[in-house]
Amino acid sequence: MKQFHSIQEVRAYRKSTPGIIGFVPTMGNLHEGHLALVRQAKAECDAVVVSIFVNPKQFNSTRDLEQYPRTYEDDLAKLKSVGADSVFYPSREAVYPADFSTTISSNSLTHLWEGEHRPGHFDGVCTVVAKLFNMVQADRAYFGEKDYQQLQVVKAMARDLNIPIEIVPCPTVREIDGLALSSRNSLIDPKLREKAPLIKSVLDGAKFAIGNGSPVDGALQTARDTLVGAGFIVEYFSLVNGCSLEPIIQWEVDARLLVAAQLGDVRLIDNIAL
Ligand code: AMP
């Protein structure tokens, strides 16, 4: 597995590698969710580049950025085990040199949900993803449905800016108890960990209720109340159109349930298709 630290190296690799290149952007601290993206990319492309870069521009607090887990050596071993062809691990200075001054401002999909609760987050995501796309110049990029809004925002950005890359969505990978895998799960207070899977059961409960004809408002309120009753702070629990991400009040094709809730110090997000 090749390792690149500079933009020149990863560009040279792209130029000298024939066939379809798949790209998996990550912030490291890799788990099975990330590895599933790499496996899918491996199965569908001739070579796979994985980037590891903890992007300071998409964090809302210095504390969150500082405590984000960094486990590079471990990540390398995991990537080798799934056959990634190369890892791109640029420094912060390479991505954001001192005179860096351009931001990609995100689009109509970002005024709600994560965008509302994390101001500037999607500008940071769009800026770094566009930069990484330009650095790696892959044919396809693999993103997890775990971050459903991010997936839609990145798709819209690539389309709007005519970036010649296909965005491939990949299903959410979960623990056996239903908790969606996330690098932040390791930060959950062990005493609260057993409550975390409630997010998925409540999503399933709301899906079942709405699927069986319960009014959407009532089903969503029951879901919020259940989470609050268990000690979560609920930021949103909503039914949305899966493309526009606008809230909807009845079932429609591509409808999606989105949730963000805090458990202790850790903010968890999840979603399921209806
Ligand atoms: P991150 O390192 O958290 O920025 O995530 C990198 C990529 O992995 C993003 O496309 C995420 O959506 C995806 N990802 C994170 N967790 C999961 C998961 N549990 N299942 C599937 N994809 C995931």
Side-chain angles (χ1 to χ4, degrees):
M1 188 172 70
K2 295 186 165 55
Q3 289 181 54
F4 309 123
H5 296 281
S6 75
I7 296 161
Q8 291 80 351
E9 284 170 309
V10 78
R11 283 245 172 95
Y13 174 75
R14 183 19 170 157
K15 281 212 174 99
S16 63
T17 307
I20 303 287
I21 303 276
F23 176 41
V24 182
T26 80
M27 297 207 297
N29 191 233
L30 302 181
H31 50 62
E32 271 302 314
H34 299 110
L35 300 184
L37 306 190
V38 179
R39 285 195 197 96
Q40 188 170 334
K42 225 13 225 177
E44 296 174 1
C45 304
D46 298 302
V48 177
V49 180
V50 179
S51 66
I52 296 179
F53 180 65
V54 180
N55 175 33
K57 290 199 186 292
Q58 71 187 71
F59 283 80
N60 299 89
S61 85
T62 322
R63 183 164 166 261
D64 191 21
L65 173 62
E66 277 165 7
Q67 72 175 14
Y68 199 84
R70 291 159 170 87
T71 50
Y72 185 61
E73 293 304 323
D74 223 42
D75 292 345
L76 286 183
K78 288 179 181 165
L79 289 175
K80 271 186 200 152
S81 77
V82 290
D85 298 276
S86 60
V87 182
F88 178 41
Y89 182 59
S91 66
R92 196 191 278 209
E93 295 68 36
V95 178
Y96 299 117
D99 57 355
F100 180 82
S101 71
T102 303
T103 296
I104 296 189
S105 205
S106 51
N107 44 59
S108 62
L109 297 170
T110 61
H111 64 289
L112 292 169
W113 323 126
E114 291 303 283
E116 187 180 353
H117 289 271
R118 304 184 64 188
H121 169 70
F122 282 121
D123 286 4
V125 169
C126 285
T127 303
V128 82
V129 169
K131 283 171 69 67
L132 289 167
F133 283 176
N134 285 332
M135 292 173 194
V136 177
Q137 303 189 347
D139 302 283
R140 296 187 186 141
Y142 291 77
F143 284 83
E145 287 184 345
K146 154 78 170 51
D147 300 284
Y148 189 80
Q149 187 174 14
Q150 169 174 281
L151 169 65
Q152 301 306 320
V153 167
V154 167
K155 259 194 207 166
M157 178 198 64
R159 179 201 66 207
D160 290 349
L161 299 183
N162 307 101
I163 303 179
I165 195 161
E166 180 192 348
I167 308 298
V168 184
C170 306
T172 300
V173 178
R174 300 177 180 280
E175 300 278 8
I176 293 170
D177 63 12
L179 177 64
L181 296 185
S182 163
S183 304
R184 287 191 173 85
N185 290 356
S186 61
L187 305 172
I188 300 174
D189 180 339
K191 284 185 247 109
L192 297 176
R193 172 61 185 80
E194 66 180 17
K195 292 189 176 187
L198 189 65
I199 293 196
K200 175 63 165 51
S201 354
V202 166
L203 282 168
D204 288 337
K207 172 177 173 163
F208 182 80
I210 295 167
N212 282 300
S214 296
V216 169
D217 269 4
L220 297 179
Q221 198 51 49
T222 304
R224 289 182 202 112
D225 292 346
T226 308
L227 287 171
V228 170
F232 288 82
I233 299 172
V234 178
E235 292 184 4
Y236 57 81
F237 192 110
S238 301
L239 183 67
V240 305
N241 175 288
C243 298
S244 72
L245 303 181
E246 292 295 328
I248 53 178
I249 50 165
Q250 59 189 33
W251 183 90
E252 49 183 66
V253 177
D254 280 346
R256 202 107 197 160
L257 283 163
L258 303 182
V259 56
Q262 247 178 281
L263 181 60
D265 283 345
V266 180
R267 190 172 180 278
L268 300 169
I269 61 169
D270 202 345
N271 70 89
I272 55 172
L274 226 68

